[in-house]
Amino acid sequence: EADIYQTPRYLVIGTGKKITLECSQTMGHDKMYWYQQDPGMELHLIHYSYGVNSTEKGDLSSESTVSRIRTEHFPLTLESARPSHTSQYLCASSRQGGSYNEQFFGPGTRLTVL
Amino acid sequence: AQRVTQPEKLLSVFKGAPVELKCNYSYSGSPELFWYVQYSRQRLQLLLRHISRESIKGFTADLNKGETSFHLKKPFAQEEDSAMYYCALGEWGTGNQFYFGTGTSLTVIP
């Protein structure tokens, strides 16, 4: 079944740890995105990708990095987690196209850094 | 710069009453406007987009370029409409950026 998967769903980790948030989609989409969302706040685009080996930073400055080695996989890595990274991270994907196509969202990863 | 403004964080209406969720945007080019919805314990999902000019679940939204608004409306609210609603703006053509508002939590009172 076509879907977007994010793991883990919840993560509590200590300061200084390296973490990778996984995102995979079986939608056949070229575009993928990572958003950060604090409670009661807007979603901020932190990274996006148009396809394999394409990654760009979004509107919100982030200390995270991403990679796009396979079309279906778009992991996000924090080299050294800090309490300020505590947030919800949403992965999304969409079809390629000149105008905007619908973005499909994953279930999210709620990260807490102690 | 704030691209999308949703002035109401919380909105409560009675069942059967009209509801309007406000959205204003700031963009000089040709924007694409969307409404996304997140029901309790569900994922964020597209509700409607301005270019489709469609009505979804009884909701409509008209793009008013003069007032730079894209308010979401429904004439008769239902309990199942209770959810978090996000207005979003995409930069047409480049497809580079996508901006969400802060969201409005709608509660429909039975």
PDB file of all heavy atoms in Angstrom, chain A residues 50-86:
ATOM      1  N   TYR A  50      14.354  17.272  -4.462  1.00  0.00           N
ATOM      2  CA  TYR A  50      13.614  17.056  -5.701  1.00  0.00           C
ATOM      3  C   TYR A  50      13.827  15.668  -6.271  1.00  0.00           C
ATOM      4  O   TYR A  50      13.121  15.261  -7.191  1.00  0.00           O
ATOM      5  CB  TYR A  50      14.009  18.091  -6.746  1.00  0.00           C
ATOM      6  CG  TYR A  50      13.504  19.472  -6.472  1.00  0.00           C
ATOM      7  CD1 TYR A  50      14.200  20.592  -6.893  1.00  0.00           C
ATOM      8  CD2 TYR A  50      12.312  19.663  -5.780  1.00  0.00           C
ATOM      9  CE1 TYR A  50      13.726  21.863  -6.636  1.00  0.00           C
ATOM     10  CE2 TYR A  50      11.838  20.925  -5.518  1.00  0.00           C
ATOM     11  CZ  TYR A  50      12.549  22.027  -5.956  1.00  0.00           C
ATOM     12  OH  TYR A  50      12.080  23.277  -5.697  1.00  0.00           O
ATOM     13  N   GLY A  51      14.846  14.989  -5.770  1.00  0.00           N
ATOM     14  CA  GLY A  51      15.130  13.662  -6.279  1.00  0.00           C
ATOM     15  C   GLY A  51      16.451  13.168  -5.739  1.00  0.00           C
ATOM     16  O   GLY A  51      17.071  13.809  -4.875  1.00  0.00           O
ATOM     17  N   VAL A  52      16.902  12.050  -6.256  1.00  0.00           N
ATOM     18  CA  VAL A  52      18.147  11.458  -5.783  1.00  0.00           C
ATOM     19  C   VAL A  52      19.297  12.457  -5.935  1.00  0.00           C
ATOM     20  O   VAL A  52      19.419  13.131  -6.956  1.00  0.00           O
ATOM     21  CB  VAL A  52      18.444  10.169  -6.572  1.00  0.00           C
ATOM     22  CG1 VAL A  52      19.840   9.650  -6.252  1.00  0.00           C
ATOM     23  CG2 VAL A  52      17.391   9.115  -6.259  1.00  0.00           C
ATOM     24  N   ASN A  53      20.097  12.542  -4.885  1.00  0.00           N
ATOM     25  CA  ASN A  53      21.272  13.421  -4.818  1.00  0.00           C
ATOM     26  C   ASN A  53      20.924  14.902  -4.856  1.00  0.00           C
ATOM     27  O   ASN A  53      21.801  15.735  -5.104  1.00  0.00           O
ATOM     28  CB  ASN A  53      22.266  13.092  -5.941  1.00  0.00           C
ATOM     29  CG  ASN A  53      22.866  11.706  -5.782  1.00  0.00           C
ATOM     30  OD1 ASN A  53      23.093  11.248  -4.659  1.00  0.00           O
ATOM     31  ND2 ASN A  53      23.124  11.036  -6.881  1.00  0.00           N
ATOM     32  N   SER A  54      19.677  15.233  -4.630  1.00  0.00           N
ATOM     33  CA  SER A  54      19.239  16.628  -4.555  1.00  0.00           C
ATOM     34  C   SER A  54      18.741  16.921  -3.156  1.00  0.00           C
ATOM     35  O   SER A  54      17.809  16.274  -2.670  1.00  0.00           O
ATOM     36  CB  SER A  54      18.103  16.872  -5.557  1.00  0.00           C
ATOM     37  OG  SER A  54      17.297  17.972  -5.150  1.00  0.00           O
ATOM     38  N   THR A  55      19.381  17.866  -2.456  1.00  0.00           N
ATOM     39  CA  THR A  55      18.895  18.293  -1.143  1.00  0.00           C
ATOM     40  C   THR A  55      19.080  19.797  -1.020  1.00  0.00           C
ATOM     41  O   THR A  55      20.075  20.349  -1.507  1.00  0.00           O
ATOM     42  CB  THR A  55      19.632  17.603   0.034  1.00  0.00           C
ATOM     43  OG1 THR A  55      21.010  17.933  -0.024  1.00  0.00           O
ATOM     44  CG2 THR A  55      19.446  16.090  -0.011  1.00  0.00           C
ATOM     45  N   GLU A  56      18.118  20.443  -0.372  1.00  0.00           N
ATOM     46  CA  GLU A  56      18.164  21.883  -0.182  1.00  0.00           C
ATOM     47  C   GLU A  56      17.705  22.219   1.224  1.00  0.00           C
ATOM     48  O   GLU A  56      16.899  21.481   1.808  1.00  0.00           O
ATOM     49  CB  GLU A  56      17.229  22.597  -1.172  1.00  0.00           C
ATOM     50  CG  GLU A  56      17.538  22.358  -2.637  1.00  0.00           C
ATOM     51  CD  GLU A  56      18.780  23.082  -3.100  1.00  0.00           C
ATOM     52  OE1 GLU A  56      19.242  24.005  -2.383  1.00  0.00           O
ATOM     53  OE2 GLU A  56      19.310  22.734  -4.176  1.00  0.00           O
ATOM     54  N   LYS A  57      18.196  23.327   1.749  1.00  0.00           N
ATOM     55  CA  LYS A  57      17.739  23.805   3.046  1.00  0.00           C
ATOM     56  C   LYS A  57      16.467  24.620   2.863  1.00  0.00           C
ATOM     57  O   LYS A  57      16.300  25.338   1.863  1.00  0.00           O
ATOM     58  CB  LYS A  57      18.820  24.662   3.709  1.00  0.00           C
ATOM     59  CG  LYS A  57      20.001  23.851   4.230  1.00  0.00           C
ATOM     60  CD  LYS A  57      20.953  24.728   5.002  1.00  0.00           C
ATOM     61  CE  LYS A  57      22.138  23.938   5.526  1.00  0.00           C
ATOM     62  NZ  LYS A  57      21.731  22.953   6.547  1.00  0.00           N
ATOM     63  N   GLY A  58      15.604  24.531   3.834  1.00  0.00           N
ATOM     64  CA  GLY A  58      14.347  25.240   3.783  1.00  0.00           C
ATOM     65  C   GLY A  58      14.422  26.592   4.444  1.00  0.00           C
ATOM     66  O   GLY A  58      15.512  27.161   4.628  1.00  0.00           O
ATOM     67  N   ASP A  59      13.262  27.089   4.813  1.00  0.00           N
ATOM     68  CA  ASP A  59      13.163  28.434   5.349  1.00  0.00           C
ATOM     69  C   ASP A  59      13.740  28.541   6.752  1.00  0.00           C
ATOM     70  O   ASP A  59      14.285  29.566   7.136  1.00  0.00           O
ATOM     71  CB  ASP A  59      11.688  28.847   5.364  1.00  0.00           C
ATOM     72  CG  ASP A  59      11.502  30.311   5.672  1.00  0.00           C
ATOM     73  OD1 ASP A  59      12.225  31.133   5.074  1.00  0.00           O
ATOM     74  OD2 ASP A  59      10.654  30.655   6.513  1.00  0.00           O
ATOM     75  N   LEU A  60      13.633  27.483   7.525  1.00  0.00           N
ATOM     76  CA  LEU A  60      14.083  27.504   8.913  1.00  0.00           C
ATOM     77  C   LEU A  60      15.498  26.956   9.004  1.00  0.00           C
ATOM     78  O   LEU A  60      15.790  25.857   8.540  1.00  0.00           O
ATOM     79  CB  LEU A  60      13.152  26.658   9.789  1.00  0.00           C
ATOM     80  CG  LEU A  60      13.501  26.583  11.281  1.00  0.00           C
ATOM     81  CD1 LEU A  60      13.312  27.943  11.934  1.00  0.00           C
ATOM     82  CD2 LEU A  60      12.646  25.533  11.977  1.00  0.00           C
ATOM     83  N   SER A  61      16.358  27.736   9.598  1.00  0.00           N
ATOM     84  CA  SER A  61      17.724  27.269   9.791  1.00  0.00           C
ATOM     85  C   SER A  61      17.735  26.054  10.709  1.00  0.00           C
ATOM     86  O   SER A  61      17.078  26.044  11.742  1.00  0.00           O
ATOM     87  CB  SER A  61      18.568  28.389  10.407  1.00  0.00           C
ATOM     88  OG  SER A  61      19.856  27.923  10.706  1.00  0.00           O
ATOM     89  N   SER A  62      18.433  25.053  10.322  1.00  0.00           N
ATOM     90  CA  SER A  62      18.448  23.832  11.107  1.00  0.00           C
ATOM     91  C   SER A  62      19.861  23.278  11.182  1.00  0.00           C
ATOM     92  O   SER A  62      20.638  23.410  10.237  1.00  0.00           O
ATOM     93  CB  SER A  62      17.510  22.796  10.478  1.00  0.00           C
ATOM     94  OG  SER A  62      17.619  21.548  11.135  1.00  0.00           O
ATOM     95  N   GLU A  63      20.189  22.663  12.311  1.00  0.00           N
ATOM     96  CA  GLU A  63      21.488  22.033  12.463  1.00  0.00           C
ATOM     97  C   GLU A  63      21.476  20.594  11.976  1.00  0.00           C
ATOM     98  O   GLU A  63      22.462  19.881  12.117  1.00  0.00           O
ATOM     99  CB  GLU A  63      21.913  22.109  13.932  1.00  0.00           C
ATOM    100  CG  GLU A  63      22.145  23.550  14.381  1.00  0.00           C
ATOM    101  CD  GLU A  63      22.201  23.669  15.885  1.00  0.00           C
ATOM    102  OE1 GLU A  63      21.740  22.752  16.586  1.00  0.00           O
ATOM    103  OE2 GLU A  63      22.704  24.701  16.361  1.00  0.00           O
ATOM    104  N   SER A  64      20.379  20.177  11.419  1.00  0.00           N
ATOM    105  CA  SER A  64      20.281  18.813  10.919  1.00  0.00           C
ATOM    106  C   SER A  64      20.779  18.730   9.481  1.00  0.00           C
ATOM    107  O   SER A  64      20.930  19.748   8.794  1.00  0.00           O
ATOM    108  CB  SER A  64      18.814  18.349  10.969  1.00  0.00           C
ATOM    109  OG  SER A  64      18.001  19.215  10.208  1.00  0.00           O
ATOM    110  N   THR A  65      21.038  17.510   9.045  1.00  0.00           N
ATOM    111  CA  THR A  65      21.425  17.262   7.658  1.00  0.00           C
ATOM    112  C   THR A  65      20.551  16.153   7.101  1.00  0.00           C
ATOM    113  O   THR A  65      19.971  15.364   7.857  1.00  0.00           O
ATOM    114  CB  THR A  65      22.905  16.844   7.548  1.00  0.00           C
ATOM    115  OG1 THR A  65      23.108  15.658   8.328  1.00  0.00           O
ATOM    116  CG2 THR A  65      23.829  17.944   8.030  1.00  0.00           C
ATOM    117  N   VAL A  66      20.435  16.106   5.781  1.00  0.00           N
ATOM    118  CA  VAL A  66      19.645  15.068   5.123  1.00  0.00           C
ATOM    119  C   VAL A  66      20.448  14.469   3.989  1.00  0.00           C
ATOM    120  O   VAL A  66      21.456  15.031   3.552  1.00  0.00           O
ATOM    121  CB  VAL A  66      18.317  15.624   4.570  1.00  0.00           C
ATOM    122  CG1 VAL A  66      17.368  16.026   5.690  1.00  0.00           C
ATOM    123  CG2 VAL A  66      18.576  16.802   3.640  1.00  0.00           C
ATOM    124  N   SER A  67      19.980  13.340   3.521  1.00  0.00           N
ATOM    125  CA  SER A  67      20.582  12.705   2.350  1.00  0.00           C
ATOM    126  C   SER A  67      19.467  12.090   1.520  1.00  0.00           C
ATOM    127  O   SER A  67      18.393  11.772   2.039  1.00  0.00           O
ATOM    128  CB  SER A  67      21.598  11.634   2.755  1.00  0.00           C
ATOM    129  OG  SER A  67      20.960  10.599   3.489  1.00  0.00           O
ATOM    130  N   ARG A  68      19.735  11.940   0.228  1.00  0.00           N
ATOM    131  CA  ARG A  68      18.738  11.334  -0.667  1.00  0.00           C
ATOM    132  C   ARG A  68      19.500  10.443  -1.648  1.00  0.00           C
ATOM    133  O   ARG A  68      19.768  10.808  -2.777  1.00  0.00           O
ATOM    134  CB  ARG A  68      17.962  12.414  -1.406  1.00  0.00           C
ATOM    135  CG  ARG A  68      16.766  11.881  -2.156  1.00  0.00           C
ATOM    136  CD  ARG A  68      15.527  11.808  -1.304  1.00  0.00           C
ATOM    137  NE  ARG A  68      14.390  11.240  -1.993  1.00  0.00           N
ATOM    138  CZ  ARG A  68      13.566  11.930  -2.790  1.00  0.00           C
ATOM    139  NH1 ARG A  68      13.784  13.223  -3.013  1.00  0.00           N
ATOM    140  NH2 ARG A  68      12.534  11.334  -3.341  1.00  0.00           N
ATOM    141  N   ILE A  69      19.822   9.273  -1.171  1.00  0.00           N
ATOM    142  CA  ILE A  69      20.566   8.316  -1.984  1.00  0.00           C
ATOM    143  C   ILE A  69      19.605   7.447  -2.790  1.00  0.00           C
ATOM    144  O   ILE A  69      19.926   7.005  -3.896  1.00  0.00           O
ATOM    145  CB  ILE A  69      21.482   7.452  -1.093  1.00  0.00           C
ATOM    146  CG1 ILE A  69      22.493   8.346  -0.372  1.00  0.00           C
ATOM    147  CG2 ILE A  69      22.202   6.395  -1.920  1.00  0.00           C
ATOM    148  CD1 ILE A  69      23.317   7.630   0.657  1.00  0.00           C
ATOM    149  N   ARG A  70      18.427   7.227  -2.221  1.00  0.00           N
ATOM    150  CA  ARG A  70      17.395   6.458  -2.922  1.00  0.00           C
ATOM    151  C   ARG A  70      16.134   7.305  -2.992  1.00  0.00           C
ATOM    152  O   ARG A  70      15.847   8.090  -2.086  1.00  0.00           O
ATOM    153  CB  ARG A  70      17.101   5.149  -2.190  1.00  0.00           C
ATOM    154  CG  ARG A  70      18.304   4.246  -2.021  1.00  0.00           C
ATOM    155  CD  ARG A  70      17.887   2.806  -1.705  1.00  0.00           C
ATOM    156  NE  ARG A  70      16.787   2.693  -0.780  1.00  0.00           N
ATOM    157  CZ  ARG A  70      16.931   2.487   0.529  1.00  0.00           C
ATOM    158  NH1 ARG A  70      18.128   2.428   1.057  1.00  0.00           N
ATOM    159  NH2 ARG A  70      15.873   2.360   1.305  1.00  0.00           N
ATOM    160  N   THR A  71      15.375   7.133  -4.026  1.00  0.00           N
ATOM    161  CA  THR A  71      14.166   7.939  -4.220  1.00  0.00           C
ATOM    162  C   THR A  71      13.209   7.824  -3.055  1.00  0.00           C
ATOM    163  O   THR A  71      12.593   8.811  -2.640  1.00  0.00           O
ATOM    164  CB  THR A  71      13.439   7.498  -5.505  1.00  0.00           C
ATOM    165  OG1 THR A  71      14.291   7.650  -6.615  1.00  0.00           O
ATOM    166  CG2 THR A  71      12.173   8.329  -5.722  1.00  0.00           C
ATOM    167  N   GLU A  72      13.103   6.635  -2.502  1.00  0.00           N
ATOM    168  CA  GLU A  72      12.078   6.410  -1.494  1.00  0.00           C
ATOM    169  C   GLU A  72      12.522   6.741  -0.078  1.00  0.00           C
ATOM    170  O   GLU A  72      11.733   6.667   0.853  1.00  0.00           O
ATOM    171  CB  GLU A  72      11.608   4.952  -1.556  1.00  0.00           C
ATOM    172  CG  GLU A  72      12.671   3.913  -1.257  1.00  0.00           C
ATOM    173  CD  GLU A  72      13.486   3.520  -2.484  1.00  0.00           C
ATOM    174  OE1 GLU A  72      13.440   4.223  -3.503  1.00  0.00           O
ATOM    175  OE2 GLU A  72      14.180   2.485  -2.401  1.00  0.00           O
ATOM    176  N   HIS A  73      13.793   7.109   0.111  1.00  0.00           N
ATOM    177  CA  HIS A  73      14.345   7.232   1.457  1.00  0.00           C
ATOM    178  C   HIS A  73      14.936   8.625   1.665  1.00  0.00           C
ATOM    179  O   HIS A  73      15.737   9.095   0.840  1.00  0.00           O
ATOM    180  CB  HIS A  73      15.428   6.157   1.638  1.00  0.00           C
ATOM    181  CG  HIS A  73      15.823   5.937   3.052  1.00  0.00           C
ATOM    182  ND1 HIS A  73      17.107   5.581   3.404  1.00  0.00           N
ATOM    183  CD2 HIS A  73      15.122   6.012   4.214  1.00  0.00           C
ATOM    184  CE1 HIS A  73      17.182   5.449   4.718  1.00  0.00           C
ATOM    185  NE2 HIS A  73      15.990   5.700   5.215  1.00  0.00           N
ATOM    186  N   PHE A  74      14.569   9.277   2.769  1.00  0.00           N
ATOM    187  CA  PHE A  74      15.013  10.658   3.017  1.00  0.00           C
ATOM    188  C   PHE A  74      15.274  10.832   4.515  1.00  0.00           C
ATOM    189  O   PHE A  74      14.528  11.501   5.230  1.00  0.00           O
ATOM    190  CB  PHE A  74      13.917  11.616   2.533  1.00  0.00           C
ATOM    191  CG  PHE A  74      14.328  13.070   2.459  1.00  0.00           C
ATOM    192  CD1 PHE A  74      15.578  13.459   1.970  1.00  0.00           C
ATOM    193  CD2 PHE A  74      13.438  14.069   2.832  1.00  0.00           C
ATOM    194  CE1 PHE A  74      15.931  14.796   1.885  1.00  0.00           C
ATOM    195  CE2 PHE A  74      13.776  15.419   2.742  1.00  0.00           C
ATOM    196  CZ  PHE A  74      15.020  15.780   2.268  1.00  0.00           C
ATOM    197  N   PRO A  75      16.368  10.275   5.026  1.00  0.00           N
ATOM    198  CA  PRO A  75      16.635  10.365   6.459  1.00  0.00           C
ATOM    199  C   PRO A  75      17.165  11.725   6.888  1.00  0.00           C
ATOM    200  O   PRO A  75      17.848  12.413   6.120  1.00  0.00           O
ATOM    201  CB  PRO A  75      17.701   9.276   6.672  1.00  0.00           C
ATOM    202  CG  PRO A  75      18.394   9.187   5.350  1.00  0.00           C
ATOM    203  CD  PRO A  75      17.350   9.464   4.306  1.00  0.00           C
ATOM    204  N   LEU A  76      16.874  12.087   8.110  1.00  0.00           N
ATOM    205  CA  LEU A  76      17.328  13.342   8.705  1.00  0.00           C
ATOM    206  C   LEU A  76      18.221  13.001   9.891  1.00  0.00           C
ATOM    207  O   LEU A  76      17.843  12.191  10.739  1.00  0.00           O
ATOM    208  CB  LEU A  76      16.126  14.180   9.149  1.00  0.00           C
ATOM    209  CG  LEU A  76      16.409  15.549   9.768  1.00  0.00           C
ATOM    210  CD1 LEU A  76      15.339  16.547   9.358  1.00  0.00           C
ATOM    211  CD2 LEU A  76      16.472  15.466  11.277  1.00  0.00           C
ATOM    212  N   THR A  77      19.389  13.641   9.955  1.00  0.00           N
ATOM    213  CA  THR A  77      20.374  13.324  10.993  1.00  0.00           C
ATOM    214  C   THR A  77      20.728  14.555  11.812  1.00  0.00           C
ATOM    215  O   THR A  77      20.937  15.643  11.256  1.00  0.00           O
ATOM    216  CB  THR A  77      21.650  12.759  10.355  1.00  0.00           C
ATOM    217  OG1 THR A  77      21.342  11.549   9.674  1.00  0.00           O
ATOM    218  CG2 THR A  77      22.713  12.459  11.430  1.00  0.00           C
ATOM    219  N   LEU A  78      20.784  14.347  13.118  1.00  0.00           N
ATOM    220  CA  LEU A  78      21.315  15.351  14.034  1.00  0.00           C
ATOM    221  C   LEU A  78      22.605  14.793  14.602  1.00  0.00           C
ATOM    222  O   LEU A  78      22.591  13.763  15.271  1.00  0.00           O
ATOM    223  CB  LEU A  78      20.322  15.632  15.165  1.00  0.00           C
ATOM    224  CG  LEU A  78      19.158  16.573  14.855  1.00  0.00           C
ATOM    225  CD1 LEU A  78      18.113  16.476  15.940  1.00  0.00           C
ATOM    226  CD2 LEU A  78      19.663  17.991  14.727  1.00  0.00           C
ATOM    227  N   GLU A  79      23.719  15.458  14.344  1.00  0.00           N
ATOM    228  CA  GLU A  79      25.020  14.940  14.781  1.00  0.00           C
ATOM    229  C   GLU A  79      25.174  14.976  16.293  1.00  0.00           C
ATOM    230  O   GLU A  79      25.776  14.093  16.885  1.00  0.00           O
ATOM    231  CB  GLU A  79      26.147  15.743  14.124  1.00  0.00           C
ATOM    232  CG  GLU A  79      26.283  15.513  12.623  1.00  0.00           C
ATOM    233  CD  GLU A  79      26.735  14.096  12.289  1.00  0.00           C
ATOM    234  OE1 GLU A  79      27.442  13.466  13.112  1.00  0.00           O
ATOM    235  OE2 GLU A  79      26.362  13.598  11.205  1.00  0.00           O
ATOM    236  N   SER A  80      24.606  16.024  16.910  1.00  0.00           N
ATOM    237  CA  SER A  80      24.737  16.180  18.356  1.00  0.00           C
ATOM    238  C   SER A  80      23.452  16.820  18.872  1.00  0.00           C
ATOM    239  O   SER A  80      23.280  18.037  18.786  1.00  0.00           O
ATOM    240  CB  SER A  80      25.952  17.047  18.694  1.00  0.00           C
ATOM    241  OG  SER A  80      26.078  17.203  20.101  1.00  0.00           O
ATOM    242  N   ALA A  81      22.579  15.998  19.391  1.00  0.00           N
ATOM    243  CA  ALA A  81      21.269  16.502  19.801  1.00  0.00           C
ATOM    244  C   ALA A  81      21.374  17.433  21.007  1.00  0.00           C
ATOM    245  O   ALA A  81      22.188  17.215  21.920  1.00  0.00           O
ATOM    246  CB  ALA A  81      20.343  15.329  20.123  1.00  0.00           C
ATOM    247  N   ARG A  82      20.530  18.467  20.997  1.00  0.00           N
ATOM    248  CA  ARG A  82      20.449  19.411  22.109  1.00  0.00           C
ATOM    249  C   ARG A  82      18.994  19.589  22.498  1.00  0.00           C
ATOM    250  O   ARG A  82      18.088  19.339  21.695  1.00  0.00           O
ATOM    251  CB  ARG A  82      21.025  20.762  21.699  1.00  0.00           C
ATOM    252  CG  ARG A  82      22.505  20.752  21.376  1.00  0.00           C
ATOM    253  CD  ARG A  82      23.096  22.130  21.651  1.00  0.00           C
ATOM    254  NE  ARG A  82      22.401  23.164  20.887  1.00  0.00           N
ATOM    255  CZ  ARG A  82      22.760  23.541  19.685  1.00  0.00           C
ATOM    256  NH1 ARG A  82      23.772  22.959  19.097  1.00  0.00           N
ATOM    257  NH2 ARG A  82      22.117  24.502  19.076  1.00  0.00           N
ATOM    258  N   PRO A  83      18.732  20.058  23.721  1.00  0.00           N
ATOM    259  CA  PRO A  83      17.337  20.268  24.145  1.00  0.00           C
ATOM    260  C   PRO A  83      16.549  21.173  23.198  1.00  0.00           C
ATOM    261  O   PRO A  83      15.336  21.005  23.053  1.00  0.00           O
ATOM    262  CB  PRO A  83      17.498  20.907  25.533  1.00  0.00           C
ATOM    263  CG  PRO A  83      18.773  20.318  26.057  1.00  0.00           C
ATOM    264  CD  PRO A  83      19.680  20.234  24.852  1.00  0.00           C
ATOM    265  N   SER A  84      17.234  22.104  22.522  1.00  0.00           N
ATOM    266  CA  SER A  84      16.529  22.993  21.588  1.00  0.00           C
ATOM    267  C   SER A  84      16.010  22.243  20.367  1.00  0.00           C
ATOM    268  O   SER A  84      15.192  22.780  19.601  1.00  0.00           O
ATOM    269  CB  SER A  84      17.454  24.128  21.130  1.00  0.00           C
ATOM    270  OG  SER A  84      18.600  23.589  20.491  1.00  0.00           O
ATOM    271  N   HIS A  85      16.462  21.014  20.164  1.00  0.00           N
ATOM    272  CA  HIS A  85      15.972  20.201  19.050  1.00  0.00           C
ATOM    273  C   HIS A  85      14.678  19.473  19.387  1.00  0.00           C
ATOM    274  O   HIS A  85      14.081  18.829  18.517  1.00  0.00           O
ATOM    275  CB  HIS A  85      17.032  19.172  18.633  1.00  0.00           C
ATOM    276  CG  HIS A  85      18.278  19.789  18.096  1.00  0.00           C
ATOM    277  ND1 HIS A  85      19.539  19.326  18.427  1.00  0.00           N
ATOM    278  CD2 HIS A  85      18.458  20.826  17.258  1.00  0.00           C
ATOM    279  CE1 HIS A  85      20.442  20.062  17.810  1.00  0.00           C
ATOM    280  NE2 HIS A  85      19.820  20.974  17.092  1.00  0.00           N
ATOM    281  N   THR A  86      14.248  19.579  20.626  1.00  0.00           N
ATOM    282  CA  THR A  86      12.994  18.940  21.023  1.00  0.00           C
ATOM    283  C   THR A  86      11.851  19.530  20.212  1.00  0.00           C
ATOM    284  O   THR A  86      11.607  20.733  20.233  1.00  0.00           O
ATOM    285  CB  THR A  86      12.740  19.151  22.527  1.00  0.00           C
ATOM    286  OG1 THR A  86      13.755  18.485  23.268  1.00  0.00           O
ATOM    287  CG2 THR A  86      11.378  18.625  22.926  1.00  0.00           C
TER     288      THR A  86
END
